[in-house]
Amino acid sequence: MTYKSKFGFGCMRLPQTDANNPTKIDQELFNEMVDIYMEKGFNYFDTSYAYHGGASETAIRKAVVERYPRESYQICDKMPTWALTSEKDNDKYVNEMLERLGIDYFDVFFIHNINVPWLKLAEKCNTFEYVKKMKENRIAKKIGFSFHDNSELLKKVLDKYGDFLDIVQLELNYLDWEDPSIEAHKCYDLCVEHGLDVYVMEPLKGGVIVNPSDEIKSEFNSFNPDKSIASFAIRFCASLEHVKIILSGMSKMSDLEDNIDTYENFEVLSDEESRFLEKMALKLRESVAVPCSECGYCIKACPEEIPIPEYFNLYNTSKNQPESDIYRLYYDKLGDEKVPADECTYCETCLEHCTQKINIPEELEKVCEHFEEGFSPYA
């Protein structure tokens, strides 16, 4: 496998015509991005039943399936684990996904987001056995699961099911590599020990890595003004031997162009660059108030439906730009349009679902304090 073949098009954050409505995908722009991506020799598309409220699969059908020969591209889709209520649901969702995509088999199929609560659902509905039969019946060429938890749980799952799986999709980036709450390095090593390929999600940690403080941006620019911050993160992942696919969510043409440049002119990360990224990881952890990757799983779990990632994003941005008062206005507007952050009841239902192991109720309280105490947008 060449480094170039590792570039996967993640379809969780596609371009939108309405920023407030994830189902409103900019199909024309997406088609154009797909054409450039395919023309350059890349061909892997990753989606899920849940992405863009179900519209991601339909967008891929329009942009890829209806416009390119089936053998020219690969599609990965995922079982909506959180929605499973019985074994019959496995068939129900797979058939619906195939219909949305307009295909009759998946190149890769995952059980989505295995963590403590959703592993229980998958096992209750015999979903691991179901995907094994999908491969046997050639409904899926390769099978596995995406994973958001610690190495202890991963070992348990791999010891039980690893012998018939092909792939584990991990959240992996240089910020999480040695983070004791994420254990990306340990999880990677476990996959290697079990002889499984590693596919990477969140190489930019939901944008956290590419939206640092001005001080960190300046350090990257001083270290190498010709390389983007994103390119360092991508190269960190792609330089790992057992990483076969790295997903990049691209909502702008410039994102695609930067990634193409990185892969077409790929250089394995040097020792000097590795040391630099270790230093930047320490500074990033210190500068990011809440290390949220904006995956949104907490919202599904929250009885109040608080838009938790949006509040954390505002909080992080405001903390990094203390001279600007505009984020208080955004905070007020978000609370008016959706559910206010102070509606949190501290039920802690969200905690098991957080991929970053954040104490969400505690951090939401800090968000409220930051924006509501001694913070005037009119001062």
Side-chain angles (χ1 to χ4, degrees), residues 293-362:
S293 67
E294 301 188 27
C295 66
Y297 297 130
C298 56
I299 304 174
K300 293 184 179 75
C302 177
E304 309 302 320
E305 298 184 342
I306 298 170
I308 297 163
E310 294 183 62
Y311 282 114
F312 287 164
N313 180 279
L314 284 176
Y315 182 47
N316 285 335
T317 309
S318 177
K319 294 282 276 188
N320 272 331
Q321 299 178 26
E323 71 284 352
S324 176
D325 289 337
I326 190 66
Y327 299 103
R328 169 61 194 266
L329 297 177
Y330 293 156
Y331 171 83
D332 289 340
K333 187 170 184 283
L334 181 59
D336 290 339
E337 292 178 349
K338 298 185 180 180
V339 183
D342 60 11
E343 292 285 313
C344 176
T345 63
Y346 297 83
C347 69
E348 300 188 346
T349 307
C350 56
L351 296 184
E352 281 193 320
H353 297 268
C354 179
T355 63
Q356 308 303 304
K357 305 306 174 190
I358 297 165
N359 188 326
I360 293 173
E362 185 177 293

Side-chain angles (χ1 to χ4, degrees), residues 133-320:
K133 289 179 181 176
M134 284 179 68
K135 184 176 178 181
E136 292 169 354
N137 295 330
R138 300 183 180 179
I139 303 299
K141 289 187 174 182
K142 292 184 178 181
I143 57 173
F145 60 93
S146 61
F147 185 77
H148 283 291
D149 216 297
N150 60 32
S151 60
E152 182 181 356
L153 183 67
L154 181 59
K155 183 178 187 307
K156 174 184 171 183
V157 176
L158 293 182
D159 286 347
K160 191 170 183 179
Y161 303 109
D163 61 332
F164 63 79
L165 300 175
D166 304 298
I167 305 161
V168 178
Q169 187 156 292
L170 294 175
E171 178 179 318
L172 198 157
N173 51 68
Y174 69 79
L175 184 57
D176 292 334
W177 187 241
E178 300 296 353
D179 189 318
S181 64
I182 308 298
E183 298 188 322
H185 194 164
K186 287 184 180 179
C187 289
Y188 172 82
D189 288 345
L190 276 170
C191 294
V192 174
E193 288 171 21
H194 282 77
L196 300 177
D197 289 341
V198 174
Y199 286 18
V200 171
M201 56 187 161
E202 303 292 0
L204 308 182
K205 200 176 174 71
V208 169
I209 283 173
V210 290
N211 293 295
S213 64
D214 289 341
E215 178 190 348
I216 292 174
K217 286 179 184 176
S218 177
E219 290 208 40
F220 269 98
N221 189 57
S222 297
F223 183 77
N224 190 333
D226 299 323
K227 299 284 187 185
S228 69
I229 294 176
S231 72
F232 279 100
I234 296 297
R235 288 172 55 226
F236 172 84
C237 297
S239 295
L240 295 168
E241 179 185 356
H242 296 276
V243 166
K244 305 302 181 186
I245 292 287
I246 300 147
L247 301 177
S248 291
M250 298 170 285
S251 58
K252 304 187 297 294
M253 185 63 77
S254 58
D255 297 336
L256 175 62
E257 291 168 344
D258 184 51
N259 281 322
I260 288 173
D261 180 66
T262 298
Y263 284 98
E264 288 195 326
N265 303 287
F266 191 84
E267 297 173 9
V268 174
L269 213 64
S270 69
D271 291 342
E272 181 187 8
E273 288 172 323
S274 294
R275 289 191 293 271
F276 174 72
L277 291 185
E278 286 176 17
K279 184 174 77 169
M280 290 301 98
L282 291 173
K283 291 199 170 189
L284 265 172
R285 287 193 199 100
E286 291 170 359
S287 68
V288 177
V290 186
C292 173
S293 67
E294 301 188 27
C295 66
Y297 297 130
C298 56
I299 304 174
K300 293 184 179 75
C302 177
E304 309 302 320
E305 298 184 342
I306 298 170
I308 297 163
E310 294 183 62
Y311 282 114
F312 287 164
N313 180 279
L314 284 176
Y315 182 47
N316 285 335
T317 309
S318 177
K319 294 282 276 188
N320 272 331

Side-chain angles (χ1 to χ4, degrees), residues 4-58:
K4 187 173 177 179
S5 66
K6 296 187 178 187
F7 178 19
F9 201 132
C11 299
M12 178 176 155
R13 300 181 178 99
L14 296 176
Q16 296 175 204
T17 56
D18 180 350
N20 296 313
N21 187 344
T23 66
K24 300 296 183 182
I25 293 170
D26 187 335
Q27 191 69 49
E28 185 177 346
L29 177 54
F30 181 42
N31 287 6
E32 186 181 352
M33 293 170 75
V34 165
D35 289 344
I36 294 171
Y37 176 79
M38 294 282 284
E39 182 184 323
K40 291 290 186 176
F42 309 108
N43 72 348
Y44 185 90
F45 298 88
D46 172 274
T47 188
S48 159
Y49 183 86
Y51 294 169
H52 284 275
S56 173
E57 292 164 325
T58 304

